[in-house]
Amino acid sequence: MRAMVIDKSDSGQQASLCDFNEAELMEGDVTVRVSHSCLNYKDGLALTGKAPVVRRFPMIPGIDFAGVVETSAHDGYKPGDAVLLNGWGTGETHLGGYAELSRVKGDWLVPLPAGLTAAQAMAIGTAGYTAMLSLMAIERHGLTPDAGPAVVTGAAGGVGSVAIALLHRAGWRVIASTGRMQESEYLTSLGADEIIDRATLSGAPKPLAKERWAAAVDSVGSTTLANVLSMTRSGGAVAACGLAGGMDLPGSVAPFILRGVALLGIESVMAPKPRRVEAWGRLARELDLTKLDAMTRTIGLADVAEAAAEIIAGRVRGRIVVKIGG
Ligand code: NDP
């Protein structure tokens, strides 16, 4: 089968599109014929080797995929079932989605939700699913749009684009923070009510700053996250899901102890099955598919390496689907 494979030699790691022996697929009770995968920031890290995402060589990257069950020894799935998978170490410790076939544990799979095609599911992908987990965490915290606006950082990226559309649909006034002010029209079309330059969140963070929003979805981390926290209203909450700007958090405890602000950690890889099913079901029902279409472009496996460099450079707008087969 055709696959993108990352291998390691003395000169470092190399990614190439090649033939991969199906017999070398890893253990699992379901084999899926993959039709679509996508490009997430973590796939960019894996393919460029910028961070040690890949834990086994050779590795087929691709942290998520959608397709049709080919063979199954799992009670929940039979040949022909449409399924998707995200996380569980796929593309990191387990051979991933950039291949015509993937063999995985059936327990990792989610049935493709009614209303979504495989291509749409991967247009959403891990990034969009993480945006939904962030919204769900803000809601679980008890916040509603009456509390004030919600800010989205890394707005023109994958998590950011889907988060804007979801928050808008849920009734929030959405403030989009971007380094690409030229994308203002795009962000407005997704549902942003106000666009701010990300430079306003990149200065040295004060312990407390003027209160600007009640909720946040932050895919940037570092100084940006510290500034977002310092500008969050009393009782507000910040869903921290990313590190596109860095992994550190150079802030103060002041927002927590003086304003009762909550920092909500968002982790998509090992999220339990019921939360996954809920998130994917909500995405199928609540995400405006016209907006999803407008934020997505499709590439082939041969284009993935180039796109990986682009996403790490912060130059990808919205989402990229990778068409694999069928
Ligand atoms: P994208 O590259 O599509 O989006 C990231 C965006 O962040 C960019 O488009 C850019 O937006 C902004 N950005 C990039 N570099 C910087 C910088 N140096 N300083 C400030 N802003 C920057 O990636 P994804 O949306 O796929 O992922 C976003 C983050 O979320 C990643 O760190 C990823 O690892 C993380 N993530 C975490 C998950 C989890 O389980 N917690 C799951 C999925 C993703 P703009 O140009 O608009 O400023």
Side-chain angles (χ1 to χ4, degrees):
M1 63 170 184
R2 294 299 279 168
M4 177 64 68
V5 178
I6 301 177
D7 220 333
K8 201 174 185 179
S9 66
D10 291 345
S11 55
Q13 70 166 60
Q14 305 82 33
S16 60
L17 186 56
C18 55
D19 289 326
F20 189 90
N21 184 352
E22 290 173 35
E24 286 169 26
L25 284 172
M26 291 168 76
E27 72 286 357
D29 48 7
V30 180
T31 301
V32 178
R33 184 152 293 276
V34 177
S35 63
H36 300 81
S37 183
C38 64
L39 183 78
N40 296 282
Y41 191 87
K42 194 184 263 180
D43 299 313
L45 290 175
L47 281 157
T48 59
K50 273 250 178 177
V53 165
V54 176
R55 301 291 174 171
R56 165 209 199 265
F57 295 93
M59 173 52 68
I60 296 174
I63 63 168
D64 42 22
F65 62 78
V68 172
V69 171
E70 186 137 299
T71 60
S72 171
H74 185 282
D75 285 349
Y77 297 98
K78 58 180 191 321
D81 286 350
V83 292
L84 65 85
L85 180 146
N86 61 280
W88 298 116
T90 325
E92 301 181 63
T93 53
H94 194 94
L95 296 177
Y98 292 171
E100 290 169 324
L101 291 172
S102 185
R103 189 182 303 133
V104 294
K105 284 188 185 168
D107 289 346
W108 293 350
L109 295 166
V110 170
L112 189 71
L116 288 183
T117 63
Q120 287 165 334
M122 285 301 104
I124 295 168
T126 298
Y129 159 81
T130 300
M132 177 53 90
L133 291 185
S134 300
L135 172 60
M136 285 163 54
I138 289 167
E139 291 174 349
R140 266 200 316 280
H141 192 68
L143 288 170
T144 61
D146 307 340
V151 68
V152 175
T153 65
V159 173
S161 294
V162 179
I164 292 170
L166 291 174
L167 285 160
H168 172 80
R169 163 70 164 64
W172 291 82
R173 177 180 159 74
V174 181
I175 301 173
S177 166
T178 185
R180 291 178 272 180
M181 292 303 279
Q182 69 275 19
E183 296 295 355
S184 295
E185 204 175 309
Y186 163 74
L187 297 170
T188 305
S189 76
L190 297 182
D193 298 284
E194 184 184 341
I195 320 286
I196 60 172
D197 191 316
R198 77 184 190 199
T200 61
L201 300 176
S202 61
K206 294 179 185 161
L208 292 177
K210 184 167 178 271
E211 294 173 80
R212 297 184 70 173
W213 36 72
V217 176
D218 173 62
S219 61
V220 174
S222 190
T223 306
T224 301
L225 175 56
N227 275 302
V228 164
L229 285 163
S230 76
M231 297 175 192
T232 302
R233 288 186 185 175
S234 274
V238 175
C241 63
L243 47 57
M247 211 173 189
D248 58 336
L249 180 50
S252 139
V253 297
F256 311 128
I257 64 174
L258 297 176
R259 288 187 181 154
V261 169
L263 184 54
L264 310 173
I266 306 300
E267 193 280 321
S268 68
V269 177
M270 306 305 279
K273 179 101 183 239
R275 186 157 298 165
R276 285 169 190 270
V277 172
E278 183 189 350
W280 280 106
R282 282 190 60 175
L283 282 158
R285 292 189 301 276
E286 297 174 27
L287 185 59
D288 181 332
L289 295 179
T290 312
K291 287 180 180 168
L292 180 65
D293 206 34
M295 68 177 84
T296 304
R297 71 185 166 99
T298 302
I299 63 173
L301 264 185
D303 311 312
V304 150
E306 196 181 325
E310 292 284 303
I311 200 167
I312 296 305
R315 286 199 295 264
V316 167
R317 186 181 91 170
R319 297 278 304 134
I320 295 183
V321 167
V322 181
K323 186 156 174 13
I324 309 284

